[in-house]
């Protein structure tokens, strides 16, 4: 099913992001975690595309499996790093043949050791160009990425949003945000996007902090602001893994509660292929607000 059709039935969606497991052991672990998450009856799930297309085969195999064997509504991520138009056409045709109807279309990051993104000859410079191409040639429901705390390469949030408008004009049906921790930044972003003429669903991307070393990792990865009060609390308990988990979980529950109460159209969880935190957040929220 196209996720855009699902939106007509579900005012609020709950979705999960997975990455393709690296080896047999991770695959077993993945199966256990997906089993737990399926009990939550997600609206849809998404599967990432490794940097530079490194997981292409596994990404395609996993979306095929999750959608066609497990029966989940699935969205494949796809980046245009190192991809010519011909290659994109072949890859997207392959996904059509697998019955995949939903795509998250991304530019991708420059390869390791390269500072700037360089489009290959006859390739795409920005996600909006890839979006326009897919819109013209195929019939997918299409999603794009956006950045509440601004994309790291963009000089200002306003400029980033101006470019984001090109992505929605090019055919993006909805957007999912990069992870963030300051809800006020999400609502500021929604306001600025609306003023820039972006009116599609913008689903917040949520990641619960479950270990101390994730603070640095998440900040580096996304440039997301982590509230000072949360960092202080985590610092205080940095040698107590259980306390860190519960502080991170409590923060996430409050974050999700506030987002939904103030009109966010859903929650998209970056699960890191783990189920425990997402299941606990759901259990808590479902008791409170009946999701
Ligand atoms: P774009 O939208 O093209 O933006 C990139 C930069 O270019 C921004 O700074 C933007 O402001 C600027 N820009 C855009 N258009 C123009 C223009 N016309 N002129 C000048 N500047 C412009 N990466 C992966 O490798 N695999 C994944 O599966 C993956 N999944 C993701 C899922 C989500 C929800 C998010 C938020 C990110 C994901 N990423 C993934 C990371 C993403 O690939 C990087 O953040 C990448 O650096 C930007 O991709 P984009 O599609 O947002 O690029």
């Amino acid at each position: 099913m196209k996720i855009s059709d699902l939106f007509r039935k579900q005012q609020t969606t709950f979705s999960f992001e997975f990455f393709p497991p690296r080896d047999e052991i991770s695959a077993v672990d993945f199966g256990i975690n997906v089993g737990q998450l399926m009990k939550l009856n997600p609206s849809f799930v998404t599967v990432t595309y490794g940097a530079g297309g490194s997981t292409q085969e596994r990404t395609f195999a996993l979306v095929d499996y999750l959608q066609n064997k497990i029966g989940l509504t699935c969205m494949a991520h796809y980046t245009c790093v190192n991809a010519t138009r011909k290659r994109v056409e072949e890859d997207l045709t392959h996904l059509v043949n697998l019955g995949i109807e939903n795509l998250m279309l991304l530019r991708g990051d420059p390869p390791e050791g390269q500072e700037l993104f360089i489009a290959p000859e006859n390739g795409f410079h920005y996600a909006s160009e890839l979006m326009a191409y897919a819109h013209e040639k195929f019939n997918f429901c299409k999603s794009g990425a956006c950045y509440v705390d601004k994309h790291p390469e963009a000089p200002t949030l306003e400029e980033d949003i101006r470019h984001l408008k090109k992505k929605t004009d090019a055919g993006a049906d909805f957007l999912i945000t990069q992870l963030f921790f300051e809800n006020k930044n999400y609502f500021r972003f929604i306001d600025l996007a609306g003023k820039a003429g972006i009116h599609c669903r913008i689903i917040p991307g949520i990641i619960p902090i479950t270990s101390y070393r994730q603070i640095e990792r998440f900040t580096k990865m996304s440039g997301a602001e982590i509230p000072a009060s949360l960092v202080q609390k985590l610092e205080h308990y940095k040698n107590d893994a259980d306390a860190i988990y519960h502080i991170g979980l409590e923060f996430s529950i409050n974050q999700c509660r506030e987002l939904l109460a103030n009109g966010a159209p859903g929650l998209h969880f970056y699960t890191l292929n783990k189920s425990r935190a997402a299941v606990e957040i759901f259990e808590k929220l479902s008791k409170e607000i009946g999701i």
Side-chain angles (χ1 to χ4, degrees), residues 1-3 45-47 59-69 72-78 91-105 138-142:
M1 177 193 270
K2 280 192 178 173
I3 295 169
V45 299
T46 80
V47 180
T59 297
F60 291 0
L62 189 58
V63 284
D64 180 22
Y65 180 78
L66 291 173
Q67 179 169 293
N68 298 322
K69 296 267 174 13
L72 295 167
T73 298
C74 215
M75 176 161 80
H77 294 210
Y78 183 80
D91 290 342
L92 301 197
T93 302
H94 179 58
L95 287 167
V96 169
N97 292 338
L98 292 177
I100 299 302
E101 296 179 279
N102 305 292
L103 280 187
M104 155 75 65
L105 292 168
F138 295 88
N139 184 27
F140 290 102
C141 164
K142 298 177 293 303

Side-chain angles (χ1 to χ4, degrees), residues 252-268:
S252 257
I253 291 169
N254 287 331
Q255 184 182 12
C256 294
R257 185 187 284 134
E258 188 183 85
L259 284 166
L260 294 177
N262 289 286
L267 298 169
H268 183 68

Side-chain angles (χ1 to χ4, degrees), residues 13 15 29 32 101 108 150 175 192 209-210 266:
T13 55
S15 49
D29 197 37
I32 294 168
E101 296 179 279
K150 160 184 112 52
L175 300 167
L192 289 172
I209 293 178
T210 54

Side-chain angles (χ1 to χ4, degrees), residues 256-286:
C256 294
R257 185 187 284 134
E258 188 183 85
L259 284 166
L260 294 177
N262 289 286
L267 298 169
H268 183 68
F269 288 93
Y270 294 108
T271 67
L272 304 178
N273 288 2
K274 302 274 175 241
S275 57
R276 184 178 164 201
V279 168
E280 290 192 36
I281 292 170
F282 256 72
E283 280 173 352
K284 185 87 183 204
L285 289 179
S286 61

Side-chain angles (χ1 to χ4, degrees), residues 17 47-52 77-79 104-110 125-128 144-147 151 153-154 159-160 163 166-167 176-178 270:
E17 178 189 284
V47 180
T48 63
Y49 196 74
H77 294 210
Y78 183 80
T79 76
M104 155 75 65
L105 292 168
L106 303 134
R107 184 200 70 178
D109 286 318
H125 300 85
Y126 300 106
S128 55
C146 64
Y147 304 83
H151 183 265
E153 290 168 32
E159 188 163 334
D160 203 20
H163 295 313
K166 295 176 191 153
K167 216 183 280 193
I176 299 184
T177 78
Q178 179 59 286
Y270 294 108

